[in-house]
Amino acid sequence: MQDVLGWRKLFGILGPSTNTVVQPEFEDMRPAGVTNHYSRVFTPNAQAIDNESFMKATHVISEGVIDAIDSVMTCDPHYLVMGMSAVTFYGGLKGAAEFEKQVTDRSGGVGVSVGSTSTAEALRAYGNIKSIAFLSPYFPAANEQVRQYFTEAGFEVKGDIPLQRPSWTAIAQTPIESMFETLKQLDNSDVDALVQVGTNLPMAALAAMAEPIFGKPVIAINTATYWHALRSNGITDKIDGFGSLLQDH
């Protein structure tokens, strides 16, 4: 018997309890017959005021993932989608693989899309992207981890900007104008694509709007992660409003 509303797939979404962006953005990308079931990772609203406190706070989120997996698995999802990104970059390719294995093992073998892998696969889907620049709401220490991951994944990182937002909830309060100005600072003729990481940064719609302005792919991590989840499950629907990735690939 199929789920009446989720007759194609049930997605279990895992994200920090402080995150107010992943849930609505994933819902806006959801095609008919796919349903999203959000499981919140308990996350104190840490005041990330420097490198050390930011890194420590992200590890606290990681420690809560297991409980969130156990909770969402009670609805028998077909697939898991990670709505948190920082820890999926830590430790480069090896660290990302270990994190994915931890999630898959705990879920009893259910597949998962995570931000790091999804974004790298999204970049490869274009076929001609060699260099990137990225922005994040993180602090510099976390950006170093993101840079390491993308470098190991085969991309040349031409630049990065950490917005250093002062708390988890403040990430979702980042003005659209600030994010757009940051994209402008990162862009130049040597950059094949612009990338945004940090799932609580509300950039899915902005990235789509920015692509024709910059004349190149602008990839928001929530778009990349949901795209990866759909395509990994054989769902090839073209979704309007979220840029070339979901429309053309």
Side-chain angles (χ1 to χ4, degrees):
M1 296 290 290
Q2 293 178 324
D3 187 280
V4 173
L5 298 182
W7 48 270
R8 296 168 86 182
K9 291 293 175 181
L10 304 179
F11 283 169
I13 313 296
L14 306 170
S17 57
T18 50
N19 190 306
T20 57
V21 170
V22 165
Q23 189 169 1
E25 287 194 343
F26 280 5
E27 276 300 296
D28 287 344
M29 299 175 205
R30 181 179 63 84
V34 176
T35 53
N36 300 327
H37 308 281
Y38 201 97
S39 184
R40 292 186 174 273
V41 180
F42 177 73
T43 307
N45 188 24
Q47 304 301 306
I49 57 174
D50 55 26
N51 278 322
E52 182 179 357
S53 59
F54 183 93
M55 298 298 286
K56 181 179 179 180
T58 57
H59 285 297
V60 169
I61 298 175
S62 181
E63 292 167 2
V65 167
I66 295 300
D67 287 341
I69 295 170
D70 292 346
S71 178
V72 80
M73 288 307 299
T74 61
C75 76
D76 292 331
H78 302 111
Y79 197 78
L80 298 178
V81 189
M82 188 59 60
M84 53 181 281
S85 62
V87 298
T88 73
F89 289 99
Y90 292 177
L93 294 179
K94 180 180 179 181
E98 289 174 349
F99 182 83
E100 288 184 40
K101 184 177 186 302
Q102 177 189 19
V103 173
T104 300
D105 287 350
R106 187 68 182 191
S107 68
V110 174
V112 62
S113 289
V114 304
S116 55
T117 303
S118 297
T119 306
E121 288 300 314
L123 290 166
R124 294 187 186 105
Y126 287 87
N128 59 351
I129 294 175
K130 297 180 180 179
S131 62
I132 66 169
F134 72 89
L135 74 150
S136 81
Y138 307 156
F139 277 70
N143 265 32
E144 290 175 10
Q145 295 291 320
V146 177
R147 177 182 283 269
Q148 176 188 342
Y149 176 88
F150 281 127
T151 301
E152 291 182 8
F155 302 100
E156 184 178 2
V157 180
K158 294 288 190 176
D160 71 277
I161 296 176
L163 295 177
Q164 303 187 57
R165 301 300 290 157
S167 71
W168 293 147
T169 54
I171 295 173
Q173 299 162 5
T174 308
I176 297 295
E177 296 80 8
S178 174
M179 293 184 284
F180 184 72
E181 286 302 314
T182 304
L183 288 173
K184 288 171 63 177
Q185 292 177 48
L186 289 167
D187 185 45
N188 62 62
S189 59
D190 293 332
V191 173
D192 298 327
L194 297 167
V195 176
Q196 169 259 321
V197 302
T199 61
N200 205 25
L201 204 60
M203 266 202 67
L206 173 61
M209 180 197 75
E211 283 192 327
I213 296 174
F214 293 104
K216 63 188 62 174
V218 180
I219 299 177
I221 195 164
N222 287 345
T223 304
T225 306
Y226 206 78
W227 166 85
H228 187 268
L230 292 173
R231 302 303 184 252
S232 295
N233 284 276
I235 299 171
T236 58
D237 298 44
K238 307 302 183 183
I239 312 296
D240 292 329
F242 294 96
S244 58
L245 182 63
L246 270 172
Q247 183 59 49
D248 301 330
H249 298 279

